[in-house]
Amino acid sequence: MDAKIVDVAAKAGVSPATVSRVLNQASGVTSKTRNKVMKAVEELNYHPNAAAKNLRQQKTMNIGVIAQDINNAYFTEIIKGIENMAYAQKYRVFICDAENQLEKEREYMTMLMDRTMDGVILIAPQLLDEEICEMADKGYYVAVIGRNIEHPRIPCIYTDNVKFSRQVMEHLLSNGHRDIVFLNGYPEAIDSYERLEGYLKALKDNQIPFRPELVENGDFNETGGYEAMKRLFDKNIPFTAVYAANDEMALGVYQACAERGISIPNQLAVVGVDNNRISKYVTPALSTVNQPKYTMGAILVEKFIDQMNDNQFADQRVFVVDSELLIRGSSNYKMK
Amino acid sequence: MDAKIVDVAAKAGVSPATVSRVLNQASGVTSKTRNKVMKAVEELNYHPNAAAKNLRQQKTMNIGVIAQDINNAYFTEIIKGIENMAYAQKYRVFICDAENQLEKEREYMTMLMDRTMDGVILIAPQLLDEEICEMADKGYYVAVIGRNIEHPRIPCIYTDNVKFSRQVMEHLLSNGHRDIVFLNGYPEAIDSYERLEGYLKALKDNQIPFRPELVENGDFNETGGYEAMKRLFDKNIPFTAVYAANDEMALGVYQACAERGISIPNQLAVVGVDNNRISKYVTPALSTVNQPKYTMGAILVEKFIDQMNDNQFADQRVFVVDSELLIRGSSNYKMK
DNA sequence: GCAGATATTGTAATCGATTTCATTTTGAAT
DNA sequence: ATTCAAAATGAAATCGATTACAATATCTGC
């Protein structure tokens, strides 16, 4: 149906090799033949068949991004950073939605083995470190956003959870809070673990004894946060602040408080993590931690492409970026 | 690096043709050889090279989805419908973010011409109808969500803007509003045009004269809505309700009202369109129109795949789906 | 005008699968 | 045991580009 390189060659009165040279290296061809060829290309609206090209060149210039959930702006913002930087380097980015399913994540990894993609960027993968390392060992290009995978060939970028977690705590403590709830995500996630770690360290730094009954799991989603709060209220123990490991769960906290007539921030301070767009719109606006999402995507993909092109690192493999605490109405109140 | 079909064939002691048969049709092979081959496939962790396969078969089983902005949950929700239905039919879906840029949209269309994708689904494209038709004329598979492109080979699905627009107006009118502002998106968009049409028809049906000064453009984004409201306030004309052509602009309305100390819904009723997730969280909750996004994606891709497989339509080409008006706090107040 | 170097172009091999067609094997019927 | 049809397998062509290598054209300097 569409024109092939031989058609272009015939029309321009040259060999297919010449057509290829015109379209690719752009040198070693007289301008006269180049013009002839370009004219034929235009007239036939010729586009080299990607499959043939990929097969012969053993590369595709495609990068896959596997996100856990494209409905979540946290991921899509990162992806925009990836996409724009990759685009500038002539790579095409294809986004895959794993929908929080490990099986889908794994299925998308086959894109590497069947060579549909030159490389794959995993954002906050559920895959185990070992699985990811194994792929890298086999020579596939993999990069990870969200945690550090200890493997010399895997570029990684992530934020220092412990650090910002302590900042959140210092903020609450400085407002006079002592009985602070920590609403955890699902406990297997590294983010959960590290945010909890920051919570604990901050308590220790301030000589406040850790009370395990103040920690609940909320699975990183709104309903989970809501249920967790209900469990906490039922315990009938006093607390004046909630540090939720993400904004989604914090929204659940708002809901639970609304039901009980508890006023934020006067009776309860709330802080989340992620700077979900919604956090700005709720009443009161939710204090949260903002990660430089776009930049994280951009930095990582740039290094990744470097590596794919040279098959070695120019310099750094691991990037740790800082987050910023955004203090809003939900925690902007000093306890007496 | 990775195993090729000849390696598998050698290991299993058969010809490449037989390996291919085992992996593809699954018939015409004794179970003994099938087992031998499968064993070799396992041991070598063989995955057929996609480029070679695509080249030979002249198809990729890939569908591209070109979205205007993956940060917008309206698009990603549709995409989930597409993705899940396509997945069930063995198609892989790749998401491309056009970032509201016509140029990127066009660039991604080359995926069709270079045969990276078997087909492309455009969501609310900026491309002109003619451009899209031209692609279809050339034999490429294209489908469109958001409007009807009059072309026998282009499946389309969209909502009846005029219809729900009238519903919104009837709702406001029944609450006693007569001076109703219409906040339009950018005027070139078909959605803008049709929603305005519904606004006008509802006025006519109720013998209310149309006052052009009550219509402002807000470009479909929050800032646009905010600016438009400021312009309206400055006009110093009375109005008691705002019908914004999408939720984003309605958020701008909230902001403008907050600045002026205007209370929603008592002094001003607000209704949006899209059921953006945020609309539920603002105070008061925003009345809006919900489209069956997931279903729209699913229905369309199903027909699209049918068409790609049979190269003809089983039945319908155009699907018009109904939306639902969600009445929330922002418009739930009767004027006296 | 010619030799030799260099630049341009063409021929044919190649990438790794699928698939057509030919060949061999198997099995059923006699 | 033999014949013949049917089933299983293999050999080789094919998809459409790139690219190594060979061949030809052009240019330089004398």
Side-chain angles (χ1 to χ4, degrees):
Chain A
M1 188 182 62
D2 356 64
K4 295 178 266 189
I5 197 167
V6 290
D7 303 325
V8 178
K11 180 145 206 161
V14 297
S15 76
T18 300
V19 176
S20 176
R21 271 185 284 257
V22 169
L23 262 39
N24 293 295
Q25 45 249 33
S27 81
V29 184
T30 47
S31 64
K32 206 175 82 189
T33 47
R34 184 195 326 291
N35 291 340
K36 279 192 302 186
V37 169
M38 289 314 288
K39 186 151 162 281
V41 165
E42 289 289 320
E43 286 175 13
L44 295 172
N45 189 31
Y46 170 69
H47 290 261
N49 180 296
K53 187 167 190 160
N54 296 346
L55 176 58
R56 176 64 230 235
Q57 297 196 319
Q58 302 283 68
K59 72 183 157 104
T60 64
M61 300 299 281
N62 293 163
I63 294 176
V65 175
I66 304 181
Q68 286 304 309
D69 178 14
I70 55 164
N71 259 354
N72 187 329
Y74 174 76
F75 298 116
T76 53
E77 194 57 40
I78 292 176
I79 293 172
K80 282 183 182 277
I82 294 174
E83 143 77 29
N84 280 303
M85 182 61 76
Y87 191 78
Q89 315 227 26
K90 310 280 177 219
Y91 277 82
R92 260 186 194 158
V93 169
F94 294 105
I95 305 158
C96 306
D97 184 3
E99 301 206 298
N100 288 310
Q101 293 163 236
L102 179 53
E103 266 326 303
K104 277 204 172 177
E105 209 177 312
R106 215 170 258 142
E107 143 73 20
Y108 279 125
M109 290 298 278
T110 62
M111 297 186 307
L112 282 170
M113 310 193 272
D114 71 19
R115 300 274 157 206
T116 296
M117 302 287 164
D118 291 344
V120 160
I121 299 177
L122 296 161
I123 311 183
Q126 292 185 245
L127 287 166
L128 296 177
D129 288 27
E130 296 83 68
E131 288 184 88
I132 301 172
C133 286
E134 200 187 324
M135 295 297 288
D137 282 336
K138 285 182 182 156
Y140 300 112
Y141 288 102
V142 190
V144 173
I145 296 180
R147 68 175 189 264
N148 183 17
I149 309 268
E150 279 297 346
H151 189 290
R153 281 171 42 81
I154 303 181
C156 295
I157 197 165
Y158 56 95
T159 49
D160 190 336
N161 281 299
V162 180
K163 186 168 172 182
F164 74 65
S165 214
R166 291 169 91 150
Q167 278 176 260
V168 169
M169 290 297 288
E170 291 300 339
H171 161 60
L172 290 171
L173 290 162
S174 77
N175 272 357
H177 298 283
R178 286 298 172 270
D179 303 309
I180 303 173
V181 166
F182 180 66
L183 261 195
N184 210 353
Y186 36 82
E188 316 80 50
I190 180 99
D191 287 338
S192 300
Y193 179 78
E194 293 180 354
R195 288 169 198 181
L196 174 59
E197 191 182 331
Y199 169 83
L200 296 173
K201 286 204 169 143
L203 290 179
K204 197 168 184 187
D205 289 351
N206 291 273
Q207 286 100 36
I208 297 173
F210 167 54
R211 291 164 49 203
E213 66 271 25
L214 288 180
V215 174
E216 278 282 347
N217 282 332
D219 284 348
F220 281 134
N221 58 55
E222 186 178 1
T223 329
Y226 171 75
E227 302 288 351
M229 278 312 281
K230 287 215 295 194
R231 288 196 299 275
L232 278 159
F233 287 138
D234 290 344
K235 285 185 192 169
N236 249 322
I237 46 174
F239 54 86
T240 63
V242 174
Y243 166 28
N246 75 351
D247 289 352
E248 287 284 336
M249 291 190 295
L251 293 176
V253 175
Y254 273 54
Q255 200 189 328
C257 286
E259 280 182 11
R260 295 234 167 185
I262 294 171
S263 148
I264 302 171
N266 309 30
Q267 296 173 269
L268 189 69
V270 183
V271 179
V273 174
D274 271 359
N275 195 19
N276 187 311
R277 188 162 172 224
I278 296 173
S279 65
K280 209 169 61 192
Y281 292 95
V282 288
T283 310
L286 174 66
S287 295
T288 187
V289 175
N290 185 50
Q291 297 183 19
K293 301 178 272 286
Y294 185 96
T295 313
M296 287 171 72
I299 291 179
L300 184 78
V301 78
E302 188 173 22
K303 292 296 158 182
F304 193 38
I305 289 176
D306 275 2
Q307 186 199 5
M308 292 197 296
N309 289 342
D310 315 348
N311 199 18
Q312 61 173 339
F313 284 104
D315 37 27
Q316 227 178 325
R317 179 186 74 80
V318 177
F319 299 82
V320 184
V321 298
D322 273 336
S323 306
E324 158 196 31
L325 173 61
L326 305 176
I327 299 171
R328 300 202 183 111
S330 69
S331 69
N332 204 357
Y333 178 83
K334 284 217 191 283
M335 289 278 137
K336 52 257 115 191
Chain B
M1 189 183 61
D2 355 65
K4 295 177 268 189
I5 199 166
V6 291
D7 303 324
V8 177
K11 180 145 205 162
V14 298
S15 75
T18 300
V19 175
S20 175
R21 271 186 284 257
V22 168
L23 262 39
N24 293 295
Q25 46 249 32
S27 79
V29 185
T30 39
S31 63
K32 207 174 84 191
T33 48
R34 183 194 326 290
N35 291 340
K36 278 193 302 188
V37 169
M38 288 313 289
K39 188 152 161 281
V41 166
E42 290 289 319
E43 286 175 12
L44 296 173
N45 189 32
Y46 170 68
H47 289 262
N49 180 296
K53 187 167 188 160
N54 295 347
L55 176 58
R56 177 62 229 233
Q57 297 195 322
Q58 302 282 68
K59 71 181 159 112
T60 63
M61 300 300 281
N62 292 162
I63 294 176
V65 176
I66 304 180
Q68 286 304 309
D69 177 13
I70 55 164
N71 259 354
N72 186 329
Y74 175 75
F75 298 116
T76 53
E77 193 58 42
I78 292 176
I79 294 171
K80 283 186 181 275
I82 294 174
E83 143 76 29
N84 280 302
M85 182 61 77
Y87 190 79
Q89 313 226 29
K90 309 279 178 220
Y91 276 82
R92 261 187 194 158
V93 169
F94 294 104
I95 305 157
C96 305
D97 185 3
E99 301 205 298
N100 288 312
Q101 294 164 237
L102 179 54
E103 266 327 301
K104 278 204 172 179
E105 210 177 311
R106 218 170 255 143
E107 142 72 21
Y108 278 125
M109 289 298 276
T110 62
M111 297 187 307
L112 282 170
M113 309 192 272
D114 69 20
R115 300 275 159 205
T116 296
M117 301 288 164
D118 291 345
V120 159
I121 298 176
L122 297 161
I123 311 184
Q126 293 185 244
L127 287 166
L128 296 178
D129 289 27
E130 294 85 68
E131 287 185 89
I132 300 173
C133 285
E134 200 189 323
M135 294 297 287
D137 281 336
K138 284 182 183 157
Y140 300 111
Y141 287 102
V142 189
V144 172
I145 297 179
R147 69 173 188 264
N148 183 18
I149 309 268
E150 281 296 347
H151 189 290
R153 281 170 42 81
I154 304 180
C156 295
I157 197 166
Y158 56 94
T159 49
D160 189 335
N161 280 300
V162 179
K163 186 168 172 182
F164 74 66
S165 213
R166 293 170 90 150
Q167 278 176 261
V168 169
M169 290 297 288
E170 289 301 338
H171 160 60
L172 290 171
L173 290 163
S174 76
N175 271 358
H177 298 283
R178 287 296 172 274
D179 302 309
I180 304 172
V181 165
F182 180 65
L183 260 196
N184 211 353
Y186 37 82
E188 315 82 51
I190 180 97
D191 287 338
S192 300
Y193 177 79
E194 293 181 353
R195 288 169 199 180
L196 175 59
E197 189 181 332
Y199 169 84
L200 296 173
K201 284 205 171 144
L203 290 180
K204 195 165 186 192
D205 290 350
N206 290 272
Q207 283 101 38
I208 297 173
F210 168 54
R211 292 164 49 202
E213 67 271 26
L214 288 181
V215 174
E216 277 282 349
N217 283 333
D219 283 348
F220 281 134
N221 59 54
E222 187 178 0
T223 329
Y226 172 75
E227 303 289 351
M229 278 312 282
K230 287 215 294 196
R231 288 197 299 276
L232 276 160
F233 287 139
D234 289 345
K235 285 186 193 168
N236 248 323
I237 44 175
F239 53 85
T240 63
V242 174
Y243 166 30
N246 77 351
D247 289 351
E248 287 284 335
M249 291 190 295
L251 292 176
V253 175
Y254 272 55
Q255 199 190 327
C257 287
E259 279 182 11
R260 297 235 164 184
I262 293 173
S263 148
I264 302 171
N266 308 27
Q267 296 174 270
L268 189 70
V270 183
V271 179
V273 174
D274 271 359
N275 194 20
N276 188 312
R277 188 165 171 220
I278 296 173
S279 64
K280 209 169 61 191
Y281 292 95
V282 289
T283 310
L286 174 65
S287 295
T288 187
V289 175
N290 184 51
Q291 296 183 19
K293 301 179 270 285
Y294 185 95
T295 312
M296 286 171 71
I299 291 178
L300 184 78
V301 77
E302 190 175 20
K303 292 296 157 184
F304 193 38
I305 289 176
D306 274 2
Q307 186 200 5
M308 291 198 295
N309 289 341
D310 315 349
N311 198 17
Q312 59 172 341
F313 285 103
D315 35 30
Q316 229 178 324
R317 179 186 74 79
V318 178
F319 299 83
V320 185
V321 297
D322 272 335
S323 306
E324 159 196 30
L325 173 61
L326 305 176
I327 299 172
R328 301 202 183 111
S330 70
S331 69
N332 204 359
Y333 177 82
K334 283 215 189 286
M335 288 279 139
K336 41 276 98 197

